[in-house]
Amino acid sequence: MTTLKAKLQEDLTTAIKARDELHSSTLRLTLSAITKEEVAGKEARVLSDEEVLKVIAKEAKKRREAAEAFAQGGRAEQAARETAEGEFLDTYLPKQLTDDELVAIVAQAVEEAKATGAEGPRAMGAVMKIVNPKVAGLAEGGRVAAVVKQQLS
């Protein structure tokens, strides 16, 4: 069992004992998603901490998108709950890059891509290949793509 998964299970036990319904249900759903990922494929396996972080990030993103959909549908109470769940899951994720840090990393990657001859909007793929390993888990893909697009145009 990974240390991060063990921490999630400990936090679940604490939340249940404290009768904290929001945190306990969020942790249950997240642990369920982790277990589902572990048994997906041909063989069951144990996820590394890095893989568990990816599952948590995916779950947090689902909460943000659901909150947005509920808000647009006029269901403020449900949107508030989804937002709270997303913010709670964010506490387990590494701190996200600020816009300035992300712009600096992308600018450096654009320069590297130009050195290899890739320029303009067609260089998007080359720049993303350079940027993605540097920002993995620290910035959402859509945010990164938007900054790359802005820098290339």
Side-chain angles (χ1 to χ4, degrees):
M1 188 186 304
T2 66
T3 55
L4 184 56
K5 185 177 175 186
K7 174 155 178 38
L8 289 171
Q9 289 174 328
E10 289 170 16
D11 291 351
L12 174 60
T13 304
T14 305
I16 291 170
K17 286 180 181 176
R19 298 187 188 279
D20 185 344
E21 196 275 328
L22 176 77
H23 290 160
S24 63
S25 67
T26 304
L27 288 169
R28 276 191 179 113
L29 287 170
T30 304
L31 284 166
S32 172
I34 291 168
T35 303
K36 184 178 176 184
E37 190 69 29
E38 287 177 334
V39 298
K42 294 181 180 179
E43 272 185 37
R45 61 194 174 95
V46 176
L47 298 181
S48 67
D49 276 355
E50 190 175 294
E51 292 169 315
V52 170
L53 277 175
K54 285 181 184 175
V55 172
I56 295 172
K58 193 179 344 174
E59 290 296 308
K61 183 178 179 186
K62 280 184 195 175
R63 299 308 188 291
R64 283 191 295 278
E65 289 171 353
E68 203 173 288
F70 282 126
Q72 288 175 356
R75 298 185 59 193
E77 187 178 307
Q78 195 66 26
R81 180 179 173 88
E82 292 290 338
T83 301
E85 288 180 3
E87 288 170 355
F88 174 64
L89 288 175
D90 285 342
T91 62
Y92 291 98
L93 298 172
K95 186 180 168 286
Q96 297 290 298
L97 292 173
T98 65
D99 289 338
D100 293 338
E101 293 169 331
L102 184 58
V103 167
I105 290 171
V106 170
Q108 181 185 358
V110 168
E111 291 304 315
E112 287 178 39
K114 280 183 182 175
T116 62
E119 284 192 52
R122 288 180 286 156
M124 179 100 176
V127 174
M128 289 298 284
K129 281 182 186 174
I130 297 168
V131 172
N132 277 338
K134 295 178 182 178
V135 299
L138 302 175
E140 212 171 83
R143 241 180 94 206
V144 175
V147 172
V148 170
K149 209 175 268 186
Q150 175 191 3
Q151 294 261 334
L152 290 175
S153 55

